[in-house]
Amino acid sequence: MAMATDREYADMVAGLAYIRRKGRCLAHLPDRRLAVSDEDAGDVEYVNECLGIVLRVLGVKMESSIPPGWEEFSAAGRYRWCAGLASRQAGRLLWGLRLGRIRRRMVSHNDWCNVDCAETHLRDLASCGAKRKGRFGWHFRGKR
């Protein structure tokens, strides 16, 4: 297992910080401003899978990813739950790295690849921004 380079390690920390911030924002979007499909909810689940792999490899304990009654959740409910879980997972990894529970030499190139994939996926998925018009200030990308 090859250790991550200094640049990969720095990119991993920056990517985890982005996932933490954006996941928290996406988990708290109001209902009237959130229109997502099952595909979007599945994409956020994939982000959680990538982060879950890194958590398991680095030996960090994490909560279960599927809440009770998961089948009855709407696409927006699954999207919000998975975005919040991604934020919590990224936060757990960040604090482990910053506090020294996860040593620098424990981070491999494969861990960096998984975090990079999760960040890229979330960036593509959450390409929303502040709109100057409107009360809540959120808008989502058009059709793919």
Side-chain angles (χ1 to χ4, degrees):
M1 175 164 56
M3 194 169 84
T5 64
D6 291 337
R7 181 69 185 156
E8 290 173 346
Y9 184 78
D11 288 344
M12 181 176 169
V13 171
L16 287 170
Y18 174 80
I19 293 169
R20 173 88 172 136
R21 282 190 318 272
K22 188 55 77 172
R24 198 172 341 153
C25 288
L26 294 175
H28 292 89
L29 285 176
D31 278 339
R32 54 191 162 272
R33 292 290 179 185
L34 185 62
V36 296
S37 65
D38 287 332
E39 182 181 331
D40 292 335
D43 287 345
V44 179
E45 285 182 57
Y46 179 72
V47 170
N48 285 325
E49 289 175 19
C50 291
L51 292 174
I53 290 169
V54 176
L55 286 166
R56 282 189 296 276
V57 168
L58 295 177
V60 180
K61 201 169 187 182
M62 190 58 200
E63 65 187 74
S64 71
S65 60
I66 299 178
W70 179 254
E71 295 79 26
E72 288 117 26
F73 279 22
S74 65
R78 287 194 313 271
Y79 183 88
R80 269 195 208 88
W81 173 265
C82 290
L85 181 63
S87 175
R88 291 189 300 275
Q89 286 179 335
R92 179 74 55 106
L93 284 167
L94 266 177
W95 280 109
L97 290 168
R98 288 180 179 161
L99 296 177
R101 291 184 200 132
I102 301 172
R103 301 276 182 224
R104 161 79 169 85
R105 63 180 170 264
M106 291 172 59
V107 178
S108 71
H109 176 75
N110 292 337
D111 298 334
W112 169 77
C113 288
N114 279 317
V115 171
D116 186 51
C117 181
E119 179 194 5
T120 303
H121 227 68
L122 193 63
R123 280 189 191 275
D124 290 343
L125 182 67
S127 57
C128 60
K131 197 182 352 177
R132 297 295 170 220
K133 296 179 183 176
R135 183 172 171 187
F136 296 104
W138 286 96
H139 67 93
F140 284 86
R141 67 182 185 282
K143 292 182 178 179
R144 292 181 193 188

